[in-house]
Amino acid sequence: MKLFIRTSKLIFSLAMVVAMGSAFIYAQENNEKFHRFTERDNEVRLLPASEYSEGLKEYIFGNMSDKTGYAAEALFYVTKDDLVNKSKKEDKSKVDTSIKTVSKIVRSISDMKGMLYYSNTRSRYEVLYKEAYRIESEKNTARIADDVEGSSNGKTIYAMLDEHTFGKANYKITYQENEKCVTMKMENLTALSYKFIKAVKPGKFKMAVSVYDDGDGYFVYVAMTADFMQMGFLENKMNKSFTARIRAIKDFIIGQF
């Protein structure tokens, strides 16, 4: 489906005030809310308000056009009590639910290896990333250790992800962080290929993640856009794949506490 969306149509709604707009109340009460963009429904409505919101909105949605085959955002909510109760740590008293832990989780690229997603086509969970690690730079793809020390604010890293549908691709990832929020912005540096087709050109897949601490829990916002050839069989496959990945990213983050 062609979206025909221009930047001027993307409205930064007053409903984006955290826990005040209906979308945020709904997310708190129902744990999640999903919004798929269409030509007639193209308003950014779920992004939590923070000092980084305007930049995230412009990054992920600012360059959409009639070539944009997929655009969606989702808002999830999880309480800190749930994070503790569902943690894999035996000693629950050692579960750290602070924003500092969130910062480490989103930079732990190597932990994404073996990450699962739910395949609606096969009705089962499958491995999303067969391999995942940080690389030296855009031009030097040597594997290096994750950078998880200190604040993530202002940091840029590079990563190689060997993905279930699109195979190996390199990514640029940038971070912002304050005492209430951690954001991650990611784009592909190399093409995403589906079988013999180079489906998404470099720089045409983007993902944004914003994790906001409201005191009792976290709003986890995930958004994706991708430009690709909108052929029937490919479009259907791509749309299903990207939607599954939005939830997979959320599941990964909350599953690491």
Side-chain angles (χ1 to χ4, degrees):
M1 176 183 295
K2 293 186 177 181
L3 299 180
F4 297 100
I5 299 174
R6 300 296 182 216
T7 304
S8 60
K9 293 184 179 180
L10 298 175
I11 302 170
F12 196 52
S13 172
L14 292 175
M16 291 166 56
V17 178
V18 174
M20 293 298 289
S22 59
F24 299 98
I25 295 173
Y26 184 95
Q28 283 180 313
E29 294 177 346
N30 299 278
N31 299 321
E32 65 179 72
K33 189 169 180 64
F34 181 85
H35 172 220
R36 174 78 184 278
F37 286 66
T38 67
E39 182 180 355
R40 295 183 179 181
D41 181 11
N42 54 31
E43 179 182 336
V44 180
R45 61 179 62 170
L46 302 180
L47 179 60
S50 74
E51 66 178 280
Y52 309 128
S53 298
E54 189 66 30
L56 278 177
K57 178 177 71 80
E58 179 62 26
Y59 175 82
I60 196 73
F61 298 117
N63 293 314
M64 291 196 299
S65 70
D66 58 356
K67 294 181 180 180
T68 302
Y70 184 87
E73 58 179 347
L75 184 67
F76 307 91
Y77 186 77
V78 58
T79 67
K80 292 179 181 178
D81 286 342
D82 279 345
L83 290 176
V84 172
N85 293 333
K86 295 178 181 178
S87 174
K88 297 176 183 178
K89 295 181 179 179
E90 292 185 7
D91 186 351
K92 302 299 184 184
S93 66
K94 293 185 178 180
V95 179
D96 183 356
T97 60
S98 71
I99 200 74
K100 292 181 180 180
T101 298
V102 175
S103 176
K104 291 181 179 180
I105 289 172
V106 297
R107 285 180 284 161
S108 298
I109 304 301
S110 61
D111 286 346
M112 296 172 73
K113 179 179 179 179
M115 177 177 159
L116 300 177
Y117 79 102
Y118 187 76
S119 171
N120 288 303
T121 302
R122 298 180 178 86
S123 299
R124 68 189 186 197
Y125 280 94
E126 297 188 343
V127 172
L128 178 58
Y129 297 123
K130 295 181 289 185
E131 188 61 83
Y133 52 82
R134 183 179 167 221
I135 58 177
E136 179 69 35
S137 67
E138 182 174 353
K139 296 183 178 180
N140 183 351
T141 59
R143 181 172 183 163
I144 59 175
D146 293 330
D147 177 8
V148 296
E149 298 302 319
S151 171
S152 66
N153 192 44
K155 288 190 175 182
T156 297
I157 68 170
Y158 300 87
M160 193 293 297
L161 301 175
D162 188 353
E163 205 254 23
H164 176 83
T165 301
F166 305 116
K168 294 182 179 180
N170 298 335
Y171 296 85
K172 177 182 178 180
I173 309 173
T174 57
Y175 301 92
Q176 293 170 299
E177 178 182 343
N178 60 26
E179 67 280 359
K180 284 287 186 180
C181 184
V182 172
T183 72
M184 177 175 74
K185 295 181 289 188
M186 183 169 88
E187 68 176 291
N188 63 317
L189 297 174
T190 54
L192 304 184
S193 299
Y194 177 65
K195 295 183 178 181
F196 59 91
I197 301 172
K198 287 189 176 181
V200 183
K201 295 179 180 179
K204 296 303 181 180
F205 166 83
K206 290 190 176 183
M207 180 177 74
V209 176
S210 177
V211 186
Y212 186 91
D213 185 352
D214 79 335
D216 295 324
Y218 285 103
F219 286 104
V220 182
Y221 176 85
V222 185
M224 289 184 185
T225 58
D227 292 3
F228 55 84
M229 291 184 293
Q230 294 162 47
M231 298 182 292
F233 78 96
L234 181 62
E235 183 175 1
N236 184 55
K237 176 65 177 179
M238 300 285 276
N239 289 339
K240 288 182 178 180
S241 295
F242 289 130
T243 296
R245 280 145 186 73
I246 286 179
R247 183 166 280 102
I249 292 295
K250 179 269 298 185
D251 288 343
F252 170 77
I253 292 172
I254 67 175
Q256 298 303 302
F257 282 85

